[in-house]
Amino acid sequence: MPGVTVSVQAEPTGLDSWLALARRLESSGFHALLLGDHPGSGAVPWPALGCAAAVTRTLGLGTYVVQAGVREPMHVAADAATLDILAPGRVTLGLGAGHTPREWHDLGQDRPDPPQRAQRLAEFTEVAARLLQGETVTFAGRHFTLHESRLDGLPAGGRVRLTVGGGHPRVLRAGARHADVVALGGLGRTLADGHRHEARFAAAHMRRWLRVIREEADRAGRAPVIEVLVHFVRATDDRDAAVEEVSQDFPSASAEDVATTPFALIGSPQQMATQIRTQARELGITSYVVREPAVPALERVLPLLTQAR
């Protein structure tokens, strides 16, 4: 079975607890500590990740994900490369199209529609990837124009890994062409509250996403890692009952969808490990991201995955 990694998305609430979390994840065998980017609605990633770099030596550090809809690729690539000075070879720059209306409205803009957001992220991904490879970039797109831009005085040459997350076909194709990791969230359209999403846990959605990624990756001669964001981790000895309970929160997903989707890990540690191994073998998913409350449950699963290898 290919190696499987598990990373943790979290948000700092204080220095001591944040540094303690970073040390705990490193000692427990997690792959990376990741932080989101919702301008105006929480902590921004780079200062917090820099603090975590100072107390760890092997733990990966990254964004999950930078809001590419309101950020500039030159600035973001420079931020990631700067963190790589402090944590050489441990940095992942995760990019997403953005979805929360406020993040545009605060800047006096209207949120673009999904095709426009996807197109901007595709351009952002190409530019950021080229900058992080050490290229001098001249680019004229619909959303970005760069003239002989480069990261002078910063590490380059592929030391910063690139993750692209989303579900729009244009985003998946851009990730397959330029990113080290393509991340799937199992989500559809943004709901009326501007934050939550329609769940897309049915197997047909996963097959379609994977087909787009692999067709584009084959054309480009690449093989990016496939990653999923796990929305629900439920440690229990009664998996069937927990699956039924979770499915009640998602009218668009059946109990069978919830039981088989990679976006939920439910059951005993052994059952979760078996699910992960099966998904690696059958779907090629070898990277998982969970949220901080799931850390105790996954600490019991990680040794089982190591044994399986």
Side-chain angles (χ1 to χ4, degrees), residues 19-88:
L19 299 185
L21 175 63
R23 294 186 182 102
R24 177 179 181 177
L25 298 184
E26 183 168 71
S27 65
S28 296
F30 286 92
H31 179 64
L33 172 59
L34 308 173
L35 182 59
D37 177 42
H38 293 284
S41 300
V44 295
W46 304 113
L49 295 173
C51 288
V55 298
T56 57
R57 290 295 177 267
T58 61
L59 184 69
L61 302 165
T63 57
Y64 209 78
V65 288
V66 162
Q67 214 282 40
V70 297
R71 303 294 195 187
E72 292 294 322
M74 183 71 184
H75 300 159
V76 170
D79 286 336
T82 300
L83 181 60
D84 186 57
I85 295 174
L86 307 177

Short mmCIF file of all heavy atoms in Angstrom, two decimals, residues 19-88:
data_model
loop_
_atom_site.label_atom_id
_atom_site.label_comp_id
_atom_site.label_asym_id
_atom_site.label_seq_id
_atom_site.Cartn_x
_atom_site.Cartn_y
_atom_site.Cartn_z
N LEU A 19 1.73 26.41 20.06
CA LEU A 19 3.02 25.75 20.04
C LEU A 19 2.92 24.33 20.59
O LEU A 19 3.58 23.40 20.08
CB LEU A 19 4.05 26.55 20.82
CG LEU A 19 4.32 27.97 20.32
CD1 LEU A 19 5.45 28.61 21.12
CD2 LEU A 19 4.64 28.00 18.84
N ALA A 20 2.07 24.13 21.59
CA ALA A 20 1.88 22.78 22.13
C ALA A 20 1.26 21.87 21.08
O ALA A 20 1.62 20.69 20.97
CB ALA A 20 0.99 22.83 23.38
N LEU A 21 0.33 22.41 20.31
CA LEU A 21 -0.27 21.60 19.24
C LEU A 21 0.77 21.21 18.21
O LEU A 21 0.83 20.05 17.77
CB LEU A 21 -1.40 22.38 18.58
CG LEU A 21 -2.05 21.71 17.37
CD1 LEU A 21 -2.71 20.39 17.76
CD2 LEU A 21 -3.05 22.65 16.69
N ALA A 22 1.61 22.16 17.80
CA ALA A 22 2.64 21.84 16.81
C ALA A 22 3.56 20.74 17.31
O ALA A 22 3.88 19.79 16.58
CB ALA A 22 3.44 23.10 16.47
N ARG A 23 3.99 20.84 18.56
CA ARG A 23 4.87 19.80 19.12
C ARG A 23 4.15 18.46 19.19
O ARG A 23 4.75 17.40 18.90
CB ARG A 23 5.34 20.23 20.52
CG ARG A 23 6.25 21.45 20.54
CD ARG A 23 6.77 21.68 21.96
NE ARG A 23 7.60 22.86 22.08
CZ ARG A 23 7.19 24.02 22.59
NH1 ARG A 23 5.94 24.15 23.02
NH2 ARG A 23 8.02 25.05 22.67
N ARG A 24 2.89 18.48 19.58
CA ARG A 24 2.12 17.23 19.69
C ARG A 24 1.98 16.56 18.33
O ARG A 24 2.16 15.34 18.21
CB ARG A 24 0.74 17.53 20.27
CG ARG A 24 -0.17 16.31 20.37
CD ARG A 24 -1.51 16.69 20.99
NE ARG A 24 -2.39 15.55 21.12
CZ ARG A 24 -3.60 15.58 21.69
NH1 ARG A 24 -4.07 16.73 22.17
NH2 ARG A 24 -4.35 14.49 21.77
N LEU A 25 1.64 17.33 17.31
CA LEU A 25 1.47 16.74 15.98
C LEU A 25 2.77 16.13 15.48
O LEU A 25 2.78 15.04 14.89
CB LEU A 25 0.98 17.80 15.00
CG LEU A 25 -0.38 18.43 15.29
CD1 LEU A 25 -0.77 19.39 14.16
CD2 LEU A 25 -1.46 17.38 15.49
N GLU A 26 3.88 16.81 15.71
CA GLU A 26 5.17 16.28 15.27
C GLU A 26 5.50 14.97 15.99
O GLU A 26 5.92 13.99 15.35
CB GLU A 26 6.28 17.31 15.50
CG GLU A 26 7.63 16.85 15.00
CD GLU A 26 8.64 17.99 14.98
OE1 GLU A 26 9.06 18.43 16.07
OE2 GLU A 26 8.98 18.46 13.88
N SER A 27 5.30 14.93 17.30
CA SER A 27 5.65 13.74 18.05
C SER A 27 4.71 12.58 17.76
O SER A 27 5.10 11.41 17.88
CB SER A 27 5.66 14.04 19.56
OG SER A 27 4.35 14.37 20.00
N SER A 28 3.47 12.87 17.34
CA SER A 28 2.49 11.82 17.07
C SER A 28 2.58 11.27 15.65
O SER A 28 1.90 10.28 15.33
CB SER A 28 1.07 12.34 17.32
OG SER A 28 0.88 12.69 18.67
N GLY A 29 3.35 11.90 14.80
CA GLY A 29 3.52 11.39 13.44
C GLY A 29 2.60 11.98 12.40
O GLY A 29 2.48 11.43 11.30
N PHE A 30 1.96 13.09 12.72
CA PHE A 30 1.16 13.77 11.69
C PHE A 30 2.10 14.40 10.66
O PHE A 30 3.25 14.73 10.96
CB PHE A 30 0.27 14.84 12.32
CG PHE A 30 -0.90 14.28 13.07
CD1 PHE A 30 -0.81 14.02 14.43
CD2 PHE A 30 -2.09 14.01 12.42
CE1 PHE A 30 -1.89 13.50 15.13
CE2 PHE A 30 -3.18 13.49 13.10
CZ PHE A 30 -3.07 13.23 14.47
N HIS A 31 1.58 14.59 9.47
CA HIS A 31 2.40 15.09 8.37
C HIS A 31 2.63 16.59 8.44
O HIS A 31 3.74 17.07 8.21
CB HIS A 31 1.74 14.74 7.04
CG HIS A 31 2.48 15.20 5.83
ND1 HIS A 31 3.73 14.73 5.50
CD2 HIS A 31 2.16 16.12 4.87
CE1 HIS A 31 4.14 15.30 4.38
NE2 HIS A 31 3.22 16.16 3.99
N ALA A 32 1.55 17.35 8.74
CA ALA A 32 1.67 18.81 8.67
C ALA A 32 0.61 19.49 9.53
O ALA A 32 -0.45 18.92 9.83
CB ALA A 32 1.53 19.29 7.22
N LEU A 33 0.92 20.71 9.91
CA LEU A 33 0.00 21.63 10.56
C LEU A 33 -0.39 22.69 9.53
O LEU A 33 0.48 23.35 8.94
CB LEU A 33 0.66 22.29 11.77
CG LEU A 33 -0.10 23.42 12.47
CD1 LEU A 33 -1.46 22.96 12.98
CD2 LEU A 33 0.74 24.00 13.61
N LEU A 34 -1.70 22.84 9.32
CA LEU A 34 -2.20 23.70 8.25
C LEU A 34 -3.14 24.76 8.83
O LEU A 34 -3.84 24.50 9.82
CB LEU A 34 -2.96 22.88 7.20
CG LEU A 34 -2.21 21.67 6.63
CD1 LEU A 34 -3.13 20.85 5.75
CD2 LEU A 34 -0.97 22.12 5.87
N LEU A 35 -3.18 25.92 8.19
CA LEU A 35 -4.01 27.02 8.67
C LEU A 35 -4.71 27.66 7.48
O LEU A 35 -4.11 27.88 6.43
CB LEU A 35 -3.14 28.05 9.39
CG LEU A 35 -3.82 29.28 10.00
CD1 LEU A 35 -4.86 28.87 11.02
CD2 LEU A 35 -2.78 30.17 10.66
N GLY A 36 -6.00 27.94 7.65
CA GLY A 36 -6.79 28.55 6.58
C GLY A 36 -6.51 30.04 6.43
O GLY A 36 -5.68 30.63 7.13
N ASP A 37 -7.25 30.64 5.51
CA ASP A 37 -7.06 32.06 5.19
C ASP A 37 -8.41 32.66 4.83
O ASP A 37 -8.89 32.51 3.71
CB ASP A 37 -6.09 32.20 4.01
CG ASP A 37 -5.90 33.66 3.58
OD1 ASP A 37 -5.78 34.52 4.47
OD2 ASP A 37 -5.85 33.91 2.37
N HIS A 38 -9.04 33.30 5.82
CA HIS A 38 -10.31 33.99 5.60
C HIS A 38 -10.16 35.43 6.07
O HIS A 38 -10.43 35.75 7.23
CB HIS A 38 -11.46 33.29 6.35
CG HIS A 38 -11.76 31.93 5.83
ND1 HIS A 38 -12.46 31.73 4.65
CD2 HIS A 38 -11.45 30.69 6.30
CE1 HIS A 38 -12.58 30.44 4.43
NE2 HIS A 38 -11.97 29.78 5.40
N PRO A 39 -9.68 36.30 5.20
CA PRO A 39 -9.36 37.67 5.62
C PRO A 39 -10.53 38.34 6.33
O PRO A 39 -11.65 38.41 5.82
CB PRO A 39 -9.06 38.37 4.29
CG PRO A 39 -8.60 37.27 3.38
CD PRO A 39 -9.41 36.08 3.77
N GLY A 40 -10.27 38.83 7.54
CA GLY A 40 -11.29 39.50 8.33
C GLY A 40 -12.11 38.58 9.19
O GLY A 40 -12.91 39.05 10.01
N SER A 41 -11.94 37.26 9.06
CA SER A 41 -12.75 36.31 9.81
C SER A 41 -11.89 35.28 10.53
O SER A 41 -12.23 34.10 10.59
CB SER A 41 -13.73 35.59 8.86
OG SER A 41 -14.60 36.51 8.24
N GLY A 42 -10.76 35.70 11.04
CA GLY A 42 -9.90 34.77 11.76
C GLY A 42 -8.45 35.06 11.50
O GLY A 42 -8.09 36.01 10.79
N ALA A 43 -7.61 34.23 12.09
CA ALA A 43 -6.17 34.41 11.98
C ALA A 43 -5.70 34.20 10.56
O ALA A 43 -6.21 33.35 9.83
CB ALA A 43 -5.46 33.43 12.91
N VAL A 44 -4.69 34.97 10.15
CA VAL A 44 -4.04 34.74 8.86
C VAL A 44 -2.86 33.79 9.09
O VAL A 44 -2.32 33.71 10.19
CB VAL A 44 -3.59 36.06 8.21
CG1 VAL A 44 -4.80 36.91 7.87
CG2 VAL A 44 -2.63 36.81 9.09
N PRO A 45 -2.43 33.07 8.07
CA PRO A 45 -1.53 31.94 8.32
C PRO A 45 -0.08 32.24 8.63
O PRO A 45 0.51 31.55 9.47
CB PRO A 45 -1.64 31.11 7.03
CG PRO A 45 -2.16 32.04 5.99
CD PRO A 45 -2.98 33.06 6.70
N TRP A 46 0.54 33.22 7.99
CA TRP A 46 2.00 33.25 7.99
C TRP A 46 2.63 33.50 9.35
O TRP A 46 3.60 32.82 9.71
CB TRP A 46 2.49 34.25 6.94
CG TRP A 46 1.94 33.93 5.58
CD1 TRP A 46 1.06 34.66 4.84
CD2 TRP A 46 2.21 32.75 4.80
NE1 TRP A 46 0.75 34.02 3.66
CE2 TRP A 46 1.45 32.85 3.61
CE3 TRP A 46 3.02 31.63 4.99
CZ2 TRP A 46 1.48 31.86 2.62
CZ3 TRP A 46 3.04 30.65 4.01
CH2 TRP A 46 2.29 30.77 2.85
N PRO A 47 2.15 34.43 10.18
CA PRO A 47 2.79 34.58 11.50
C PRO A 47 2.67 33.33 12.36
O PRO A 47 3.62 32.94 13.04
CB PRO A 47 2.04 35.76 12.12
CG PRO A 47 1.46 36.50 10.96
CD PRO A 47 1.12 35.46 9.93
N ALA A 48 1.49 32.71 12.33
CA ALA A 48 1.28 31.51 13.15
C ALA A 48 2.16 30.37 12.69
O ALA A 48 2.74 29.63 13.51
CB ALA A 48 -0.19 31.11 13.10
N LEU A 49 2.28 30.18 11.38
CA LEU A 49 3.12 29.10 10.87
C LEU A 49 4.59 29.36 11.17
O LEU A 49 5.36 28.43 11.44
CB LEU A 49 2.90 28.93 9.38
CG LEU A 49 1.49 28.46 8.96
CD1 LEU A 49 1.34 28.48 7.45
CD2 LEU A 49 1.20 27.06 9.51
N GLY A 50 5.00 30.62 11.15
CA GLY A 50 6.37 30.95 11.51
C GLY A 50 6.68 30.60 12.95
O GLY A 50 7.77 30.08 13.25
N CYS A 51 5.73 30.84 13.85
CA CYS A 51 5.92 30.46 15.25
C CYS A 51 6.06 28.94 15.37
O CYS A 51 6.93 28.45 16.11
CB CYS A 51 4.75 30.95 16.10
SG CYS A 51 4.71 32.73 16.37
N ALA A 52 5.22 28.20 14.67
CA ALA A 52 5.28 26.74 14.73
C ALA A 52 6.60 26.22 14.17
O ALA A 52 7.13 25.20 14.63
CB ALA A 52 4.10 26.14 13.97
N ALA A 53 7.15 26.91 13.18
CA ALA A 53 8.43 26.50 12.61
C ALA A 53 9.53 26.53 13.66
O ALA A 53 10.47 25.71 13.62
CB ALA A 53 8.79 27.40 11.43
N ALA A 54 9.44 27.46 14.60
CA ALA A 54 10.51 27.63 15.58
C ALA A 54 10.58 26.51 16.61
O ALA A 54 11.61 26.34 17.26
CB ALA A 54 10.34 28.97 16.30
N VAL A 55 9.49 25.74 16.77
CA VAL A 55 9.47 24.70 17.81
C VAL A 55 9.36 23.29 17.22
O VAL A 55 9.13 22.33 17.95
CB VAL A 55 8.32 24.94 18.81
CG1 VAL A 55 8.52 26.27 19.53
CG2 VAL A 55 6.96 24.88 18.14
N THR A 56 9.50 23.16 15.91
CA THR A 56 9.45 21.85 15.26
C THR A 56 10.63 21.72 14.31
O THR A 56 11.25 22.71 13.92
CB THR A 56 8.13 21.68 14.48
OG1 THR A 56 8.01 22.75 13.52
CG2 THR A 56 6.93 21.69 15.41
N ARG A 57 10.90 20.48 13.93
CA ARG A 57 12.02 20.23 13.02
C ARG A 57 11.62 19.40 11.80
O ARG A 57 12.28 19.46 10.77
CB ARG A 57 13.17 19.53 13.76
CG ARG A 57 13.87 20.42 14.76
CD ARG A 57 14.57 21.59 14.07
NE ARG A 57 15.20 22.50 15.01
CZ ARG A 57 14.62 23.60 15.49
NH1 ARG A 57 13.37 23.90 15.12
NH2 ARG A 57 15.25 24.39 16.32
N THR A 58 10.57 18.60 11.91
CA THR A 58 10.17 17.74 10.79
C THR A 58 8.74 17.97 10.35
O THR A 58 8.37 17.56 9.24
CB THR A 58 10.32 16.25 11.17
OG1 THR A 58 9.47 15.96 12.29
CG2 THR A 58 11.76 15.93 11.53
N LEU A 59 7.92 18.60 11.17
CA LEU A 59 6.50 18.78 10.84
C LEU A 59 6.33 19.71 9.65
O LEU A 59 6.92 20.80 9.59
CB LEU A 59 5.78 19.39 12.06
CG LEU A 59 4.27 19.57 11.94
CD1 LEU A 59 3.56 18.22 11.92
CD2 LEU A 59 3.75 20.43 13.10
N GLY A 60 5.53 19.30 8.68
CA GLY A 60 5.19 20.18 7.58
C GLY A 60 4.33 21.34 8.05
O GLY A 60 3.60 21.25 9.04
N LEU A 61 4.38 22.45 7.33
CA LEU A 61 3.64 23.66 7.68
C LEU A 61 3.05 24.24 6.40
O LEU A 61 3.74 24.33 5.38
CB LEU A 61 4.57 24.69 8.33
CG LEU A 61 5.30 24.22 9.60
CD1 LEU A 61 6.44 25.16 9.93
CD2 LEU A 61 4.33 24.11 10.77
N GLY A 62 1.77 24.63 6.45
CA GLY A 62 1.20 25.13 5.22
C GLY A 62 -0.12 25.83 5.38
O GLY A 62 -0.71 25.89 6.46
N THR A 63 -0.59 26.37 4.27
CA THR A 63 -1.88 27.04 4.21
C THR A 63 -2.91 26.07 3.65
O THR A 63 -2.63 25.26 2.78
CB THR A 63 -1.81 28.28 3.31
OG1 THR A 63 -1.37 27.90 1.99
CG2 THR A 63 -0.84 29.29 3.87
N TYR A 64 -4.14 26.22 4.17
CA TYR A 64 -5.21 25.33 3.72
C TYR A 64 -6.54 26.07 3.85
O TYR A 64 -7.28 25.82 4.79
CB TYR A 64 -5.23 24.05 4.55
CG TYR A 64 -5.75 22.85 3.80
CD1 TYR A 64 -4.94 22.19 2.89
CD2 TYR A 64 -7.04 22.39 3.99
CE1 TYR A 64 -5.40 21.07 2.21
CE2 TYR A 64 -7.50 21.28 3.32
CZ TYR A 64 -6.67 20.62 2.43
OH TYR A 64 -7.13 19.51 1.75
N VAL A 65 -6.82 26.94 2.91
CA VAL A 65 -6.03 27.34 1.77
C VAL A 65 -6.01 28.86 1.68
O VAL A 65 -6.88 29.53 2.22
CB VAL A 65 -6.59 26.78 0.43
CG1 VAL A 65 -6.35 25.29 0.32
CG2 VAL A 65 -8.11 27.06 0.31
N VAL A 66 -5.00 29.42 0.98
CA VAL A 66 -4.96 30.86 0.73
C VAL A 66 -6.13 31.23 -0.16
O VAL A 66 -6.45 30.55 -1.14
CB VAL A 66 -3.63 31.25 0.07
CG1 VAL A 66 -3.72 32.62 -0.58
CG2 VAL A 66 -2.51 31.24 1.10
N GLN A 67 -6.76 32.35 0.18
CA GLN A 67 -7.92 32.83 -0.57
C GLN A 67 -7.43 33.56 -1.82
O GLN A 67 -7.19 34.77 -1.82
CB GLN A 67 -8.75 33.76 0.33
CG GLN A 67 -10.24 33.72 0.13
CD GLN A 67 -10.73 34.49 -1.09
OE1 GLN A 67 -10.11 34.45 -2.15
NE2 GLN A 67 -11.85 35.16 -0.95
N ALA A 68 -7.29 32.81 -2.90
CA ALA A 68 -6.71 33.37 -4.12
C ALA A 68 -7.59 34.41 -4.78
O ALA A 68 -7.11 35.20 -5.60
CB ALA A 68 -6.42 32.25 -5.12
N GLY A 69 -8.85 34.46 -4.40
CA GLY A 69 -9.75 35.44 -5.00
C GLY A 69 -9.45 36.87 -4.62
O GLY A 69 -9.80 37.80 -5.36
N VAL A 70 -8.79 37.08 -3.47
CA VAL A 70 -8.49 38.44 -3.01
C VAL A 70 -7.01 38.65 -2.72
O VAL A 70 -6.63 39.70 -2.21
CB VAL A 70 -9.33 38.80 -1.76
CG1 VAL A 70 -10.82 38.78 -2.09
CG2 VAL A 70 -9.01 37.86 -0.60
N ARG A 71 -6.19 37.66 -3.05
CA ARG A 71 -4.75 37.78 -2.83
C ARG A 71 -4.04 37.90 -4.18
O ARG A 71 -4.60 37.60 -5.23
CB ARG A 71 -4.22 36.55 -2.08
CG ARG A 71 -4.89 36.27 -0.74
CD ARG A 71 -4.62 37.34 0.28
NE ARG A 71 -4.96 36.90 1.63
CZ ARG A 71 -4.96 37.67 2.70
NH1 ARG A 71 -4.62 38.94 2.59
NH2 ARG A 71 -5.29 37.20 3.90
N GLU A 72 -2.77 38.28 -4.13
CA GLU A 72 -1.95 38.41 -5.33
C GLU A 72 -0.88 37.32 -5.35
O GLU A 72 -0.21 37.10 -4.33
CB GLU A 72 -1.28 39.79 -5.38
CG GLU A 72 -2.26 40.93 -5.60
CD GLU A 72 -2.92 40.88 -6.98
OE1 GLU A 72 -2.24 40.51 -7.96
OE2 GLU A 72 -4.11 41.19 -7.06
N PRO A 73 -0.67 36.65 -6.46
CA PRO A 73 0.25 35.50 -6.47
C PRO A 73 1.69 35.86 -6.15
O PRO A 73 2.39 35.07 -5.50
CB PRO A 73 0.11 34.94 -7.89
CG PRO A 73 -0.49 36.04 -8.71
CD PRO A 73 -1.33 36.83 -7.76
N MET A 74 2.16 37.02 -6.58
CA MET A 74 3.54 37.41 -6.29
C MET A 74 3.74 37.53 -4.79
O MET A 74 4.75 37.04 -4.23
CB MET A 74 3.86 38.74 -6.98
CG MET A 74 5.28 39.21 -6.81
SD MET A 74 6.44 38.19 -7.76
CE MET A 74 7.99 38.91 -7.25
N HIS A 75 2.80 38.16 -4.09
CA HIS A 75 2.93 38.35 -2.65
C HIS A 75 2.82 37.02 -1.91
O HIS A 75 3.58 36.75 -0.97
CB HIS A 75 1.85 39.32 -2.16
CG HIS A 75 1.91 40.66 -2.80
ND1 HIS A 75 0.84 41.52 -2.84
CD2 HIS A 75 2.92 41.29 -3.46
CE1 HIS A 75 1.18 42.63 -3.48
NE2 HIS A 75 2.44 42.52 -3.85
N VAL A 76 1.88 36.19 -2.31
CA VAL A 76 1.67 34.91 -1.63
C VAL A 76 2.87 33.99 -1.84
O VAL A 76 3.32 33.32 -0.90
CB VAL A 76 0.37 34.26 -2.13
CG1 VAL A 76 0.25 32.83 -1.62
CG2 VAL A 76 -0.85 35.07 -1.67
N ALA A 77 3.39 33.94 -3.05
CA ALA A 77 4.57 33.10 -3.30
C ALA A 77 5.76 33.58 -2.45
O ALA A 77 6.53 32.76 -1.92
CB ALA A 77 4.92 33.12 -4.78
N ALA A 78 5.90 34.89 -2.31
CA ALA A 78 6.99 35.42 -1.49
C ALA A 78 6.79 35.06 -0.02
O ALA A 78 7.76 34.75 0.70
CB ALA A 78 7.09 36.93 -1.66
N ASP A 79 5.55 35.10 0.47
CA ASP A 79 5.28 34.68 1.85
C ASP A 79 5.67 33.23 2.06
O ASP A 79 6.32 32.88 3.06
CB ASP A 79 3.79 34.85 2.16
CG ASP A 79 3.37 36.29 2.36
OD1 ASP A 79 4.23 37.12 2.71
OD2 ASP A 79 2.18 36.59 2.15
N ALA A 80 5.28 32.35 1.14
CA ALA A 80 5.59 30.93 1.29
C ALA A 80 7.10 30.69 1.23
O ALA A 80 7.65 29.90 2.01
CB ALA A 80 4.88 30.13 0.20
N ALA A 81 7.77 31.36 0.31
CA ALA A 81 9.22 31.18 0.19
C ALA A 81 9.95 31.74 1.42
O ALA A 81 11.00 31.21 1.81
CB ALA A 81 9.73 31.86 -1.08
N THR A 82 9.41 32.76 2.03
CA THR A 82 10.00 33.29 3.26
C THR A 82 9.88 32.29 4.39
O THR A 82 10.83 32.06 5.16
CB THR A 82 9.34 34.63 3.66
OG1 THR A 82 9.52 35.57 2.60
CG2 THR A 82 9.93 35.17 4.95
N LEU A 83 8.71 31.66 4.53
CA LEU A 83 8.55 30.62 5.55
C LEU A 83 9.52 29.47 5.30
O LEU A 83 10.03 28.86 6.25
CB LEU A 83 7.11 30.12 5.57
CG LEU A 83 6.80 29.05 6.62
CD1 LEU A 83 7.06 29.55 8.03
CD2 LEU A 83 5.35 28.57 6.48
N ASP A 84 9.84 29.20 4.03
CA ASP A 84 10.76 28.13 3.71
C ASP A 84 12.17 28.42 4.20
O ASP A 84 12.97 27.50 4.39
CB ASP A 84 10.77 27.89 2.19
CG ASP A 84 11.60 26.70 1.79
OD1 ASP A 84 11.32 25.59 2.27
OD2 ASP A 84 12.53 26.88 0.99
N ILE A 85 12.51 29.68 4.42
CA ILE A 85 13.80 30.01 5.04
C ILE A 85 13.84 29.46 6.46
O ILE A 85 14.87 28.96 6.93
CB ILE A 85 14.03 31.53 5.04
CG1 ILE A 85 14.15 32.08 3.62
CG2 ILE A 85 15.26 31.89 5.87
CD1 ILE A 85 14.22 33.59 3.56
N LEU A 86 12.71 29.56 7.17
CA LEU A 86 12.63 29.15 8.58
C LEU A 86 12.37 27.66 8.73
O LEU A 86 12.72 27.08 9.77
CB LEU A 86 11.51 29.93 9.27
CG LEU A 86 11.57 31.45 9.14
CD1 LEU A 86 10.36 32.09 9.80
CD2 LEU A 86 12.87 31.99 9.74
N ALA A 87 11.75 27.04 7.72
CA ALA A 87 11.41 25.61 7.77
C ALA A 87 11.75 24.99 6.43
O ALA A 87 10.86 24.63 5.65
CB ALA A 87 9.93 25.45 8.10
N PRO A 88 13.03 24.85 6.11
CA PRO A 88 13.43 24.43 4.76
C PRO A 88 12.83 23.09 4.36
O PRO A 88 12.92 22.11 5.10
CB PRO A 88 14.96 24.33 4.87
CG PRO A 88 15.33 25.19 6.03
CD PRO A 88 14.20 25.09 6.99
#
